[in-house]
């Protein structure tokens, strides 16, 4: 499964600015939401199928009710395809379940802040799902890290295609650590890790959470209405 980008028209200088600042620095108040920019790896659909890095605006709010998980895909400059919307919502559910986090009070917004860009496929779902879990726990995804993969029903990280192209794109965007599924897509050719880059195979949501945030995931059952991990020493 691949995330594909249609009409990839992002100006190179904008790519550099985003990659150097990173998601954590872009965290800011937005009403009651906390909003961050997270990097997404994919391949273009212009016939070249080259790797690409784009950014998704992710907002998180912990409401005062228990009306259920609300996921809003904000229409704007770019958009998510119907398949990508289903995959992302599923990834959020599965990441929360794997970490024992209740979702009944979560409101989540997602926006593609790039003109004329449509995101297809589902390989962004693990990155979004784990990033949402980090926000729920009051943590950040490290600015120089990104992940490609899906989340399976049992909390394992599912394989995706075009990993070599995505890793090269991350290197060009100055992202220094890429998390990939520990199960390789048999269609992908052999490849070498770019200089000064760390590629980390991960097999579970817990391992992905630790690698993206730098903190171990607290996995357990929370009381109804509670959100987040146990306080860290």
């Amino acid at each position: 499964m691949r995330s594909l980008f249609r009409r990839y028209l992002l100006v190179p200088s904008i790519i550099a600015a985003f990659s150097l600042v990173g998601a954590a620095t872009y965290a800011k108040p937005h009403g009651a939401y906390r909003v961050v920019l997270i990097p997404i790896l994919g391949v273009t659909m212009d016939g070249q199928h080259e790797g690409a890095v784009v950014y998704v605006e992710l907002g998180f709010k912990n409401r005062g009710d228990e009306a259920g998980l609300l996921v809003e895909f904000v229409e704007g400059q770019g958009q998510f395809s119907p398949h990508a919307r289903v995959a992302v919502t599923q990834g959020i559910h599965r990441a929360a379940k794997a970490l024992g986090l209740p979702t009944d009070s979560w409101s989540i917004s997602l926006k593609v802040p790039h003109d004329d860009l449509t995101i297809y496929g589902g390989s962004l779902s693990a990155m979004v799902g784990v990033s949402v879990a980090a926000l729920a726990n009051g943590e950040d995804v490290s600015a120089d890290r990104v992940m490609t993969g899906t989340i399976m029903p049992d909390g394992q990280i599912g394989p995706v295609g075009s990993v070599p192209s995505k890793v090269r794109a991350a290197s060009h965007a100055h992202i220094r650590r890429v998390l990939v599924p520990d199960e390789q897509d048999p269609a992908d050719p052999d490849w070498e890790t770019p200089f000064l880059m760390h590629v980390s195979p991960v097999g579970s949501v817990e391992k992905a959470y630790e690698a993206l945030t730098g903190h171990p995931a607290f996995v357990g059952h929370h009381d109804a209405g509670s959100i987040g991990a146990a306080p860290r020493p």
Side-chain angles (χ1 to χ4, degrees):
M1 186 177 293
R2 297 181 294 182
S3 282
L4 304 175
F5 302 139
R6 178 169 63 85
R7 295 184 183 176
Y8 184 70
L9 301 176
L10 194 57
V11 178
S13 62
I14 296 179
I15 297 176
F18 278 164
S19 62
L20 289 173
V21 175
T25 306
Y26 267 82
K28 59 182 180 180
H30 186 72
Y33 281 83
R34 184 177 179 216
V35 181
V36 298
L37 286 174
I38 60 171
I40 299 297
L41 298 179
V43 293
T44 62
M45 294 180 66
D46 58 3
Q48 301 296 321
H49 288 288
E50 296 178 345
V53 180
V54 299
Y55 284 75
V56 168
E57 186 178 286
L58 170 63
F60 176 86
K61 177 171 66 174
N62 184 18
R63 306 185 313 271
D65 59 69
E66 296 181 11
L69 174 65
L70 300 177
V71 181
E72 177 187 11
F73 294 89
V74 180
E75 296 291 339
Q77 297 163 282
Q79 62 183 329
F80 296 87
S81 73
H83 181 196
R85 294 183 184 208
V86 171
V88 164
T89 304
Q90 192 175 64
I92 293 168
H93 274 289
R94 291 177 176 178
K97 179 181 177 181
L99 297 174
L101 294 172
T103 62
D104 286 347
S105 298
W106 293 2
S107 286
I108 296 161
S109 66
L110 292 124
K111 180 181 178 181
V112 180
H114 305 301
D115 291 333
D116 299 319
L117 175 66
T118 300
I119 297 179
Y120 291 87
S123 67
L124 76 162
S125 57
M127 181 65 185
V128 175
V130 176
S131 296
V132 167
L135 290 176
N137 285 335
E139 297 191 317
D140 293 310
V141 171
S142 296
D144 62 347
R145 301 176 189 183
V146 68
M147 179 179 183
T148 183
T150 63
I151 301 177
M152 307 301 288
D154 61 357
Q156 296 300 296
I157 304 300
V160 294
S162 301
V163 169
S165 298
K166 294 173 182 177
V167 169
R168 286 193 296 270
S171 177
H172 293 157
H174 307 287
I175 296 174
R176 294 308 177 197
R177 187 172 184 183
V178 180
L179 309 185
V180 301
D182 62 3
E183 180 181 349
Q184 183 177 348
D185 186 333
D188 277 351
D190 293 335
W191 52 282
E192 295 183 358
T193 301
F195 183 61
L196 295 179
M197 172 168 279
H198 185 192
V199 177
S200 305
V202 291
S204 68
V205 168
E206 296 96 315
K207 294 296 184 183
Y209 185 100
E210 182 173 357
L212 285 175
T213 66
H215 296 127
F218 176 84
V219 181
H221 299 287
H222 297 263
D223 295 333
S226 67
I227 294 290
R232 301 191 185 282

mmCIF file of all heavy atoms in Angstrom, residues 134-183:
data_model
loop_
_atom_site.group_PDB
_atom_site.id
_atom_site.type_symbol
_atom_site.label_atom_id
_atom_site.label_comp_id
_atom_site.label_asym_id
_atom_site.label_seq_id
_atom_site.Cartn_x
_atom_site.Cartn_y
_atom_site.Cartn_z
ATOM 1 N N ALA A 134 0.578 10.499 20.482
ATOM 2 C CA ALA A 134 1.553 11.348 21.170
ATOM 3 C C ALA A 134 0.897 12.638 21.662
ATOM 4 O O ALA A 134 1.122 13.073 22.802
ATOM 5 C CB ALA A 134 2.722 11.659 20.241
ATOM 6 N N LEU A 135 0.084 13.264 20.819
ATOM 7 C CA LEU A 135 -0.604 14.486 21.237
ATOM 8 C C LEU A 135 -1.535 14.216 22.408
ATOM 9 O O LEU A 135 -1.649 15.034 23.332
ATOM 10 C CB LEU A 135 -1.382 15.069 20.058
ATOM 11 C CG LEU A 135 -0.551 15.669 18.924
ATOM 12 C CD1 LEU A 135 -1.466 16.107 17.781
ATOM 13 C CD2 LEU A 135 0.279 16.840 19.411
ATOM 14 N N ALA A 136 -2.225 13.077 22.389
ATOM 15 C CA ALA A 136 -3.114 12.727 23.494
ATOM 16 C C ALA A 136 -2.347 12.584 24.797
ATOM 17 O O ALA A 136 -2.874 12.860 25.882
ATOM 18 C CB ALA A 136 -3.854 11.430 23.177
ATOM 19 N N ASN A 137 -1.103 12.172 24.712
ATOM 20 C CA ASN A 137 -0.257 12.008 25.896
ATOM 21 C C ASN A 137 0.538 13.264 26.227
ATOM 22 O O ASN A 137 1.394 13.242 27.110
ATOM 23 C CB ASN A 137 0.715 10.842 25.690
ATOM 24 C CG ASN A 137 0.038 9.496 25.824
ATOM 25 O OD1 ASN A 137 -0.986 9.375 26.489
ATOM 26 N ND2 ASN A 137 0.605 8.480 25.196
ATOM 27 N N GLY A 138 0.279 14.356 25.498
ATOM 28 C CA GLY A 138 0.997 15.603 25.769
ATOM 29 C C GLY A 138 2.424 15.584 25.307
ATOM 30 O O GLY A 138 3.261 16.350 25.818
ATOM 31 N N GLU A 139 2.750 14.732 24.330
ATOM 32 C CA GLU A 139 4.118 14.615 23.839
ATOM 33 C C GLU A 139 4.198 15.053 22.379
ATOM 34 O O GLU A 139 3.178 15.272 21.716
ATOM 35 C CB GLU A 139 4.622 13.179 24.001
ATOM 36 C CG GLU A 139 4.681 12.746 25.452
ATOM 37 C CD GLU A 139 5.423 11.432 25.631
ATOM 38 O OE1 GLU A 139 5.204 10.501 24.820
ATOM 39 O OE2 GLU A 139 6.196 11.343 26.593
ATOM 40 N N ASP A 140 5.430 15.141 21.891
ATOM 41 C CA ASP A 140 5.691 15.545 20.516
ATOM 42 C C ASP A 140 6.404 14.431 19.769
ATOM 43 O O ASP A 140 7.181 13.670 20.348
ATOM 44 C CB ASP A 140 6.587 16.789 20.465
ATOM 45 C CG ASP A 140 5.896 18.026 21.009
ATOM 46 O OD1 ASP A 140 4.763 18.290 20.579
ATOM 47 O OD2 ASP A 140 6.503 18.722 21.843
ATOM 48 N N VAL A 141 6.159 14.375 18.472
ATOM 49 C CA VAL A 141 6.984 13.561 17.585
ATOM 50 C C VAL A 141 8.233 14.375 17.268
ATOM 51 O O VAL A 141 8.139 15.554 16.923
ATOM 52 C CB VAL A 141 6.229 13.207 16.295
ATOM 53 C CG1 VAL A 141 7.147 12.565 15.277
ATOM 54 C CG2 VAL A 141 5.062 12.285 16.603
ATOM 55 N N SER A 142 9.401 13.761 17.408
ATOM 56 C CA SER A 142 10.650 14.482 17.162
ATOM 57 C C SER A 142 10.672 15.053 15.750
ATOM 58 O O SER A 142 10.195 14.420 14.798
ATOM 59 C CB SER A 142 11.842 13.552 17.367
ATOM 60 O OG SER A 142 11.923 13.129 18.713
ATOM 61 N N ALA A 143 11.223 16.252 15.609
ATOM 62 C CA ALA A 143 11.141 16.988 14.357
ATOM 63 C C ALA A 143 11.892 16.331 13.207
ATOM 64 O O ALA A 143 11.578 16.582 12.053
ATOM 65 C CB ALA A 143 11.679 18.405 14.576
ATOM 66 N N ASP A 144 12.888 15.509 13.513
ATOM 67 C CA ASP A 144 13.707 14.929 12.448
ATOM 68 C C ASP A 144 13.347 13.479 12.169
ATOM 69 O O ASP A 144 14.185 12.719 11.665
ATOM 70 C CB ASP A 144 15.185 15.040 12.809
ATOM 71 C CG ASP A 144 15.549 14.275 14.073
ATOM 72 O OD1 ASP A 144 14.609 13.873 14.810
ATOM 73 O OD2 ASP A 144 16.753 14.073 14.324
ATOM 74 N N ARG A 145 12.104 13.074 12.506
ATOM 75 C CA ARG A 145 11.704 11.679 12.334
ATOM 76 C C ARG A 145 10.398 11.576 11.566
ATOM 77 O O ARG A 145 9.516 12.436 11.681
ATOM 78 C CB ARG A 145 11.572 10.990 13.700
ATOM 79 C CG ARG A 145 12.869 11.022 14.485
ATOM 80 C CD ARG A 145 12.752 10.445 15.873
ATOM 81 N NE ARG A 145 13.968 10.703 16.619
ATOM 82 C CZ ARG A 145 14.211 10.274 17.851
ATOM 83 N NH1 ARG A 145 13.295 9.555 18.481
ATOM 84 N NH2 ARG A 145 15.346 10.552 18.446
ATOM 85 N N VAL A 146 10.277 10.498 10.805
ATOM 86 C CA VAL A 146 9.062 10.262 10.028
ATOM 87 C C VAL A 146 8.883 8.759 9.892
ATOM 88 O O VAL A 146 9.834 7.984 10.076
ATOM 89 C CB VAL A 146 9.166 10.938 8.642
ATOM 90 C CG1 VAL A 146 10.227 10.270 7.770
ATOM 91 C CG2 VAL A 146 7.816 10.943 7.930
ATOM 92 N N MET A 147 7.672 8.357 9.566
ATOM 93 C CA MET A 147 7.360 6.934 9.486
ATOM 94 C C MET A 147 6.485 6.661 8.276
ATOM 95 O O MET A 147 5.656 7.491 7.889
ATOM 96 C CB MET A 147 6.623 6.496 10.756
ATOM 97 C CG MET A 147 6.212 5.038 10.778
ATOM 98 S SD MET A 147 5.382 4.639 12.328
ATOM 99 C CE MET A 147 5.127 2.888 12.100
ATOM 100 N N THR A 148 6.675 5.496 7.657
ATOM 101 C CA THR A 148 5.764 5.018 6.631
ATOM 102 C C THR A 148 5.304 3.619 7.022
ATOM 103 O O THR A 148 6.097 2.819 7.509
ATOM 104 C CB THR A 148 6.422 5.011 5.236
ATOM 105 O OG1 THR A 148 5.450 4.597 4.261
ATOM 106 C CG2 THR A 148 7.629 4.086 5.165
ATOM 107 N N GLY A 149 4.024 3.346 6.836
ATOM 108 C CA GLY A 149 3.487 2.043 7.211
ATOM 109 C C GLY A 149 2.010 2.146 7.540
ATOM 110 O O GLY A 149 1.457 3.244 7.655
ATOM 111 N N THR A 150 1.382 1.007 7.683
ATOM 112 C CA THR A 150 -0.004 0.941 8.131
ATOM 113 C C THR A 150 -0.034 0.297 9.514
ATOM 114 O O THR A 150 0.988 -0.196 10.007
ATOM 115 C CB THR A 150 -0.849 0.108 7.157
ATOM 116 O OG1 THR A 150 -0.359 -1.239 7.143
ATOM 117 C CG2 THR A 150 -0.785 0.681 5.751
ATOM 118 N N ILE A 151 -1.207 0.302 10.146
ATOM 119 C CA ILE A 151 -1.372 -0.366 11.434
ATOM 120 C C ILE A 151 -2.389 -1.488 11.260
ATOM 121 O O ILE A 151 -3.521 -1.259 10.829
ATOM 122 C CB ILE A 151 -1.834 0.610 12.525
ATOM 123 C CG1 ILE A 151 -0.805 1.739 12.688
ATOM 124 C CG2 ILE A 151 -2.018 -0.119 13.858
ATOM 125 C CD1 ILE A 151 -1.210 2.797 13.710
ATOM 126 N N MET A 152 -1.973 -2.681 11.601
ATOM 127 C CA MET A 152 -2.840 -3.847 11.488
ATOM 128 C C MET A 152 -3.779 -3.917 12.703
ATOM 129 O O MET A 152 -3.543 -3.261 13.723
ATOM 130 C CB MET A 152 -1.993 -5.117 11.392
ATOM 131 C CG MET A 152 -0.931 -5.075 10.288
ATOM 132 S SD MET A 152 -1.632 -4.834 8.651
ATOM 133 C CE MET A 152 -2.384 -6.446 8.409
ATOM 134 N N PRO A 153 -4.849 -4.724 12.625
ATOM 135 C CA PRO A 153 -5.790 -4.812 13.752
ATOM 136 C C PRO A 153 -5.152 -5.234 15.072
ATOM 137 O O PRO A 153 -5.628 -4.858 16.148
ATOM 138 C CB PRO A 153 -6.809 -5.854 13.277
ATOM 139 C CG PRO A 153 -6.778 -5.758 11.792
ATOM 140 C CD PRO A 153 -5.343 -5.467 11.446
ATOM 141 N N ASP A 154 -4.057 -6.001 15.004
ATOM 142 C CA ASP A 154 -3.399 -6.455 16.232
ATOM 143 C C ASP A 154 -2.333 -5.493 16.728
ATOM 144 O O ASP A 154 -1.580 -5.806 17.655
ATOM 145 C CB ASP A 154 -2.783 -7.845 16.012
ATOM 146 C CG ASP A 154 -1.719 -7.868 14.918
ATOM 147 O OD1 ASP A 154 -1.486 -6.811 14.278
ATOM 148 O OD2 ASP A 154 -1.125 -8.946 14.696
ATOM 149 N N GLY A 155 -2.234 -4.297 16.129
ATOM 150 C CA GLY A 155 -1.254 -3.313 16.570
ATOM 151 C C GLY A 155 0.113 -3.461 15.946
ATOM 152 O O GLY A 155 1.034 -2.708 16.289
ATOM 153 N N GLN A 156 0.268 -4.391 15.020
ATOM 154 C CA GLN A 156 1.534 -4.534 14.311
ATOM 155 C C GLN A 156 1.585 -3.544 13.144
ATOM 156 O O GLN A 156 0.554 -3.093 12.639
ATOM 157 C CB GLN A 156 1.702 -5.959 13.796
ATOM 158 C CG GLN A 156 1.784 -7.005 14.897
ATOM 159 C CD GLN A 156 2.953 -6.770 15.842
ATOM 160 O OE1 GLN A 156 4.113 -6.831 15.441
ATOM 161 N NE2 GLN A 156 2.657 -6.504 17.111
ATOM 162 N N ILE A 157 2.783 -3.209 12.723
ATOM 163 C CA ILE A 157 2.977 -2.284 11.611
ATOM 164 C C ILE A 157 2.998 -3.069 10.305
ATOM 165 O O ILE A 157 3.817 -3.965 10.126
ATOM 166 C CB ILE A 157 4.285 -1.487 11.768
ATOM 167 C CG1 ILE A 157 4.295 -0.742 13.110
ATOM 168 C CG2 ILE A 157 4.457 -0.510 10.600
ATOM 169 C CD1 ILE A 157 3.159 0.248 13.288
ATOM 170 N N GLY A 158 2.074 -2.744 9.407
ATOM 171 C CA GLY A 158 1.951 -3.469 8.150
ATOM 172 C C GLY A 158 2.882 -2.931 7.086
ATOM 173 O O GLY A 158 3.222 -1.746 7.064
ATOM 174 N N PRO A 159 3.324 -3.798 6.160
ATOM 175 C CA PRO A 159 4.269 -3.398 5.114
ATOM 176 C C PRO A 159 3.640 -2.455 4.101
ATOM 177 O O PRO A 159 2.424 -2.480 3.876
ATOM 178 C CB PRO A 159 4.659 -4.726 4.458
ATOM 179 C CG PRO A 159 3.477 -5.615 4.696
ATOM 180 C CD PRO A 159 2.942 -5.222 6.041
ATOM 181 N N VAL A 160 4.479 -1.639 3.481
ATOM 182 C CA VAL A 160 4.060 -0.728 2.415
ATOM 183 C C VAL A 160 5.122 -0.765 1.314
ATOM 184 O O VAL A 160 6.238 -1.230 1.530
ATOM 185 C CB VAL A 160 3.889 0.718 2.924
ATOM 186 C CG1 VAL A 160 2.737 0.820 3.904
ATOM 187 C CG2 VAL A 160 5.168 1.223 3.580
ATOM 188 N N GLY A 161 4.769 -0.259 0.155
ATOM 189 C CA GLY A 161 5.685 -0.271 -0.973
ATOM 190 C C GLY A 161 6.464 1.023 -1.132
ATOM 191 O O GLY A 161 6.239 2.011 -0.423
ATOM 192 N N SER A 162 7.392 1.019 -2.078
ATOM 193 C CA SER A 162 8.198 2.191 -2.462
ATOM 194 C C SER A 162 9.033 2.745 -1.319
ATOM 195 O O SER A 162 9.334 3.941 -1.284
ATOM 196 C CB SER A 162 7.294 3.299 -3.029
ATOM 197 O OG SER A 162 6.570 2.854 -4.145
ATOM 198 N N VAL A 163 9.437 1.896 -0.396
ATOM 199 C CA VAL A 163 10.244 2.365 0.734
ATOM 200 C C VAL A 163 11.573 2.979 0.287
ATOM 201 O O VAL A 163 11.970 4.036 0.800
ATOM 202 C CB VAL A 163 10.470 1.227 1.752
ATOM 203 C CG1 VAL A 163 11.520 1.614 2.789
ATOM 204 C CG2 VAL A 163 9.157 0.875 2.447
ATOM 205 N N PRO A 164 12.310 2.391 -0.673
ATOM 206 C CA PRO A 164 13.573 3.027 -1.086
ATOM 207 C C PRO A 164 13.387 4.462 -1.576
ATOM 208 O O PRO A 164 14.171 5.349 -1.227
ATOM 209 C CB PRO A 164 14.069 2.113 -2.216
ATOM 210 C CG PRO A 164 13.454 0.786 -1.921
ATOM 211 C CD PRO A 164 12.104 1.103 -1.358
ATOM 212 N N SER A 165 12.351 4.708 -2.383
ATOM 213 C CA SER A 165 12.100 6.058 -2.890
ATOM 214 C C SER A 165 11.730 7.013 -1.762
ATOM 215 O O SER A 165 12.142 8.187 -1.750
ATOM 216 C CB SER A 165 10.971 6.030 -3.930
ATOM 217 O OG SER A 165 11.322 5.242 -5.042
ATOM 218 N N LYS A 166 10.968 6.534 -0.803
ATOM 219 C CA LYS A 166 10.562 7.371 0.320
ATOM 220 C C LYS A 166 11.762 7.723 1.202
ATOM 221 O O LYS A 166 11.873 8.860 1.691
ATOM 222 C CB LYS A 166 9.494 6.659 1.140
ATOM 223 C CG LYS A 166 8.182 6.450 0.405
ATOM 224 C CD LYS A 166 7.229 5.591 1.218
ATOM 225 C CE LYS A 166 5.933 5.318 0.488
ATOM 226 N NZ LYS A 166 5.030 4.430 1.256
ATOM 227 N N VAL A 167 12.640 6.764 1.413
ATOM 228 C CA VAL A 167 13.827 7.026 2.237
ATOM 229 C C VAL A 167 14.712 8.069 1.567
ATOM 230 O O VAL A 167 15.235 8.980 2.219
ATOM 231 C CB VAL A 167 14.586 5.717 2.490
ATOM 232 C CG1 VAL A 167 15.965 5.999 3.098
ATOM 233 C CG2 VAL A 167 13.794 4.798 3.413
ATOM 234 N N ARG A 168 14.886 7.960 0.254
ATOM 235 C CA ARG A 168 15.688 8.963 -0.461
ATOM 236 C C ARG A 168 15.054 10.346 -0.350
ATOM 237 O O ARG A 168 15.759 11.349 -0.154
ATOM 238 C CB ARG A 168 15.848 8.564 -1.921
ATOM 239 C CG ARG A 168 16.812 7.406 -2.157
ATOM 240 C CD ARG A 168 17.153 7.265 -3.625
ATOM 241 N NE ARG A 168 15.988 6.928 -4.438
ATOM 242 C CZ ARG A 168 15.598 5.684 -4.695
ATOM 243 N NH1 ARG A 168 16.284 4.667 -4.198
ATOM 244 N NH2 ARG A 168 14.540 5.447 -5.450
ATOM 245 N N ALA A 169 13.746 10.407 -0.465
ATOM 246 C CA ALA A 169 13.064 11.703 -0.350
ATOM 247 C C ALA A 169 13.248 12.291 1.048
ATOM 248 O O ALA A 169 13.464 13.499 1.200
ATOM 249 C CB ALA A 169 11.578 11.536 -0.660
ATOM 250 N N ALA A 170 13.164 11.467 2.070
ATOM 251 C CA ALA A 170 13.378 11.943 3.439
ATOM 252 C C ALA A 170 14.787 12.481 3.617
ATOM 253 O O ALA A 170 15.002 13.500 4.283
ATOM 254 C CB ALA A 170 13.104 10.820 4.426
ATOM 255 N N SER A 171 15.755 11.818 3.013
ATOM 256 C CA SER A 171 17.140 12.276 3.095
ATOM 257 C C SER A 171 17.295 13.647 2.447
ATOM 258 O O SER A 171 17.940 14.547 3.000
ATOM 259 C CB SER A 171 18.066 11.264 2.421
ATOM 260 O OG SER A 171 19.411 11.709 2.428
ATOM 261 N N HIS A 172 16.687 13.834 1.283
ATOM 262 C CA HIS A 172 16.759 15.123 0.593
ATOM 263 C C HIS A 172 16.076 16.223 1.398
ATOM 264 O O HIS A 172 16.428 17.401 1.268
ATOM 265 C CB HIS A 172 16.112 15.003 -0.786
ATOM 266 C CG HIS A 172 16.867 14.110 -1.719
ATOM 267 N ND1 HIS A 172 16.282 13.492 -2.805
ATOM 268 C CD2 HIS A 172 18.162 13.704 -1.720
ATOM 269 C CE1 HIS A 172 17.179 12.751 -3.433
ATOM 270 N NE2 HIS A 172 18.327 12.863 -2.780
ATOM 271 N N ALA A 173 15.078 15.854 2.212
ATOM 272 C CA ALA A 173 14.367 16.837 3.042
ATOM 273 C C ALA A 173 15.020 17.020 4.408
ATOM 274 O O ALA A 173 14.428 17.654 5.294
ATOM 275 C CB ALA A 173 12.908 16.411 3.210
ATOM 276 N N HIS A 174 16.208 16.439 4.588
ATOM 277 C CA HIS A 174 16.984 16.590 5.829
ATOM 278 C C HIS A 174 16.310 15.943 7.034
ATOM 279 O O HIS A 174 16.514 16.369 8.172
ATOM 280 C CB HIS A 174 17.269 18.063 6.124
ATOM 281 C CG HIS A 174 17.901 18.804 4.994
ATOM 282 N ND1 HIS A 174 19.218 18.616 4.621
ATOM 283 C CD2 HIS A 174 17.384 19.715 4.124
ATOM 284 C CE1 HIS A 174 19.492 19.386 3.582
ATOM 285 N NE2 HIS A 174 18.397 20.056 3.258
ATOM 286 N N ILE A 175 15.502 14.924 6.799
ATOM 287 C CA ILE A 175 14.954 14.118 7.881
ATOM 288 C C ILE A 175 15.933 12.992 8.150
ATOM 289 O O ILE A 175 16.282 12.242 7.245
ATOM 290 C CB ILE A 175 13.563 13.561 7.506
ATOM 291 C CG1 ILE A 175 12.573 14.727 7.321
ATOM 292 C CG2 ILE A 175 13.059 12.597 8.575
ATOM 293 C CD1 ILE A 175 11.224 14.295 6.804
ATOM 294 N N ARG A 176 16.388 12.861 9.379
ATOM 295 C CA ARG A 176 17.523 11.989 9.665
ATOM 296 C C ARG A 176 17.151 10.609 10.177
ATOM 297 O O ARG A 176 18.005 9.728 10.262
ATOM 298 C CB ARG A 176 18.466 12.667 10.678
ATOM 299 C CG ARG A 176 19.131 13.911 10.113
ATOM 300 C CD ARG A 176 19.790 13.631 8.784
ATOM 301 N NE ARG A 176 20.390 14.803 8.163
ATOM 302 C CZ ARG A 176 20.738 14.887 6.897
ATOM 303 N NH1 ARG A 176 20.504 13.860 6.096
ATOM 304 N NH2 ARG A 176 21.279 15.974 6.416
ATOM 305 N N ARG A 177 15.885 10.391 10.531
ATOM 306 C CA ARG A 177 15.503 9.054 10.959
ATOM 307 C C ARG A 177 14.161 8.679 10.349
ATOM 308 O O ARG A 177 13.191 9.434 10.454
ATOM 309 C CB ARG A 177 15.409 8.956 12.488
ATOM 310 C CG ARG A 177 15.179 7.521 12.985
ATOM 311 C CD ARG A 177 15.281 7.409 14.482
ATOM 312 N NE ARG A 177 15.161 6.023 14.915
ATOM 313 C CZ ARG A 177 15.151 5.628 16.188
ATOM 314 N NH1 ARG A 177 15.279 6.527 17.150
ATOM 315 N NH2 ARG A 177 15.037 4.352 16.498
ATOM 316 N N VAL A 178 14.120 7.538 9.697
ATOM 317 C CA VAL A 178 12.903 7.056 9.049
ATOM 318 C C VAL A 178 12.548 5.702 9.638
ATOM 319 O O VAL A 178 13.388 4.800 9.697
ATOM 320 C CB VAL A 178 13.089 6.919 7.527
ATOM 321 C CG1 VAL A 178 11.801 6.405 6.878
ATOM 322 C CG2 VAL A 178 13.482 8.257 6.909
ATOM 323 N N LEU A 179 11.309 5.580 10.086
ATOM 324 C CA LEU A 179 10.814 4.303 10.580
ATOM 325 C C LEU A 179 10.096 3.593 9.444
ATOM 326 O O LEU A 179 9.252 4.187 8.762
ATOM 327 C CB LEU A 179 9.855 4.500 11.745
ATOM 328 C CG LEU A 179 10.323 5.376 12.907
ATOM 329 C CD1 LEU A 179 9.288 5.351 14.012
ATOM 330 C CD2 LEU A 179 11.670 4.942 13.409
ATOM 331 N N VAL A 180 10.420 2.331 9.238
ATOM 332 C CA VAL A 180 9.809 1.531 8.185
ATOM 333 C C VAL A 180 9.304 0.234 8.800
ATOM 334 O O VAL A 180 9.785 -0.192 9.849
ATOM 335 C CB VAL A 180 10.815 1.234 7.049
ATOM 336 C CG1 VAL A 180 11.333 2.525 6.429
ATOM 337 C CG2 VAL A 180 11.979 0.388 7.558
ATOM 338 N N PRO A 181 8.331 -0.429 8.174
ATOM 339 C CA PRO A 181 7.869 -1.708 8.705
ATOM 340 C C PRO A 181 9.001 -2.729 8.706
ATOM 341 O O PRO A 181 9.858 -2.732 7.806
ATOM 342 C CB PRO A 181 6.761 -2.114 7.719
ATOM 343 C CG PRO A 181 6.337 -0.834 7.071
ATOM 344 C CD PRO A 181 7.566 0.001 6.989
ATOM 345 N N ASP A 182 9.017 -3.598 9.722
ATOM 346 C CA ASP A 182 10.089 -4.593 9.746
ATOM 347 C C ASP A 182 9.859 -5.707 8.731
ATOM 348 O O ASP A 182 10.759 -6.510 8.475
ATOM 349 C CB ASP A 182 10.294 -5.167 11.154
ATOM 350 C CG ASP A 182 9.073 -5.898 11.697
ATOM 351 O OD1 ASP A 182 8.063 -6.027 10.970
ATOM 352 O OD2 ASP A 182 9.114 -6.332 12.866
ATOM 353 N N GLU A 183 8.666 -5.737 8.138
ATOM 354 C CA GLU A 183 8.395 -6.668 7.046
ATOM 355 C C GLU A 183 8.465 -5.904 5.723
ATOM 356 O O GLU A 183 7.713 -4.960 5.488
ATOM 357 C CB GLU A 183 7.011 -7.300 7.202
ATOM 358 C CG GLU A 183 6.660 -8.291 6.108
ATOM 359 C CD GLU A 183 5.283 -8.885 6.284
ATOM 360 O OE1 GLU A 183 4.679 -8.701 7.362
ATOM 361 O OE2 GLU A 183 4.789 -9.523 5.325
#
